[in-house]
Amino acid sequence: MEVVPESITPARPVPTPEQITELRRVAVHLAKTAAAHVRLRRNRFRGAAGALRADAVQSKSTPTDPVTVVDTETEELIRTLLADLRPGERVFGEEGGGTVGDGSEIVWVVDPIDGTVNFMYGIPAYSVSVAAMLDGRSLAGAVADVAGDQVYSAGLGAGAERIGADGTVTALRCTEVEQVSMALLATGFGYSAERRARQGRLIAEVLPRVRDIRRIGSAALDLCMVAAGLVDAHYEHGLNTWDWAAGALIAAEAGARLRLPAAGTVSKTGELVVAAAPGIADELMNLFDELGVSEPVP
Ligand code: IPD
Ligand code: CA
């Protein structure tokens, strides 16, 4: 065995359980506060039929990839709160940009509205996602289900829970499913037509091998649903770090096995994210290898 002298081993910061608890507390506070803001502002920009007014929406990477005024202002709100609660710490957000840094300091990874298309149409499946990462690992995270008025959270090594609208706290556990053929999978699609065409071809291979597939429309919520045992697994190609930084930790702390890109990997590389209940994880990863799902879909 090669012995690496301590002096040349890269110093990897080790957070204490107390620090993780505090990061989780802040993540929950931010996600809850931001969710209340999103609820309020949705009413302000609602058109007569319930969908968001067209003048509140613009497009981003493709004409079907929306950003609303509420996405932008909610991320600004989270950044302002963080500057006050955690002065000097880095933020990496879907709308305001940033990076995961060099791994030596905490970075807050923020998706102000995950499920923006649902938010626009008024489908009640959109969320606010906030995670504290260090050296490419999520230490704490919270995902607020805005319409359901509930918050999922986890701390590394500290478990995962859901706080309901009435304050009821429920510890989260994945399902005990043992066969992929009996598994309910959640997935999603990117915004580019080319990626979608390839994702469609892969889903045609996966669908006959599982119980069924759901496309709910918020990857962060899909991952929380794996944690809560509402689906058995989630997979998607080309997610951004802010889509999974909180939800993947929540799923893992509820027992899920993960396959993740390195933090900071950009969507266009098309790498695969998987979170699976432990009883099907090996079988599902093997099936994905066999069907070519494990390959990136750029
Ligand atoms: C999207 C949602 C969706 C997933 C897309 C994401 P956004 O995030 O998570 O479920 O399939 O890949 O881009 O655009 O609503 O923040
Ligand atoms: Ca997102």
Side-chain angles (χ1 to χ4, degrees):
M1 187 180 81
E2 193 194 350
V3 178
V4 181
E6 215 173 294
S7 56
I8 63 163
T9 307
R12 198 185 158 123
V14 182
T16 63
E18 292 72 27
Q19 286 170 323
I20 288 174
T21 302
E22 176 57 13
L23 293 169
R24 181 178 183 174
R25 191 190 66 74
V26 172
V28 169
H29 170 70
L30 293 170
K32 269 187 92 160
T33 309
H37 178 81
V38 172
R39 269 193 296 276
L40 199 76
R41 298 297 278 164
R42 191 167 197 292
N43 286 333
R44 162 79 175 75
F45 290 106
R46 220 171 134 243
L52 222 62
R53 283 183 358 220
D55 64 351
V57 186
Q58 289 183 314
S59 51
K60 278 199 303 192
S61 63
T62 71
T64 54
D65 178 7
V67 57
T68 74
V69 288
V70 188
D71 295 70
T72 313
E73 64 181 38
T74 302
E75 184 165 325
E76 277 163 14
L77 169 68
I78 294 172
R79 285 176 184 265
T80 304
L81 293 170
L82 269 171
D84 189 36
L85 293 167
R86 310 279 303 182
E89 287 182 351
R90 183 184 284 275
V91 183
F92 177 34
E94 172 159 17
E95 312 308 337
T99 70
V100 289
D102 65 2
S104 64
E105 51 189 359
I106 299 280
V107 54
W108 291 89
V109 182
V110 174
D111 192 341
I113 303 181
D114 186 54
T116 302
V117 174
N118 287 344
F119 174 72
M120 279 171 57
Y121 281 78
I123 297 170
Y126 46 93
S127 59
V128 178
S129 174
V130 180
M133 283 190 133
L134 180 65
D135 201 17
R137 267 191 319 176
S138 296
L139 301 179
V143 175
D145 164 0
V146 178
D149 194 12
Q150 49 186 357
V151 182
Y152 298 86
S153 77
L156 185 66
E161 66 185 27
R162 178 181 54 217
I163 308 170
D166 62 357
T168 310
V169 179
T170 310
L172 301 177
R173 250 6 251 170
C174 292
T175 65
E176 293 178 1
V177 64
E178 286 183 342
Q179 289 169 313
V180 167
S181 60
M182 296 305 290
L184 183 60
L185 267 54
T187 190
F189 311 113
Y191 288 108
S192 95
E194 294 76 16
R195 176 178 287 161
R196 285 180 171 192
R198 293 185 61 193
Q199 287 174 316
R201 286 195 286 275
L202 290 173
I203 218 170
E205 299 289 324
V206 175
L207 190 50
R209 309 288 288 266
V210 299
R211 180 195 289 273
D212 210 340
I213 290 197
R214 296 288 179 269
R215 197 296 190 239
I216 289 155
S218 162
L221 281 182
D222 284 359
L223 290 161
C224 294
M225 289 176 71
V226 174
L230 297 170
V231 294
D232 298 305
H234 163 80
Y235 82 94
E236 185 168 342
H237 294 92
L239 289 178
N240 281 292
T241 309
W242 50 75
D243 298 314
W244 58 258
L249 176 67
I250 293 165
E253 288 293 324
R257 296 247 316 273
L258 304 179
R259 184 182 283 182
L260 295 174
T265 302
V266 290
S267 164
K268 68 170 184 252
T269 60
E271 284 187 50
L272 179 65
V273 166
V274 185
I280 54 162
D282 284 334
E283 192 193 342
L284 188 65
M285 308 281 183
N286 289 338
L287 179 68
F288 283 172
D289 289 346
E290 178 196 324
L291 299 179
V293 177
S294 301
E295 297 300 312
V297 178

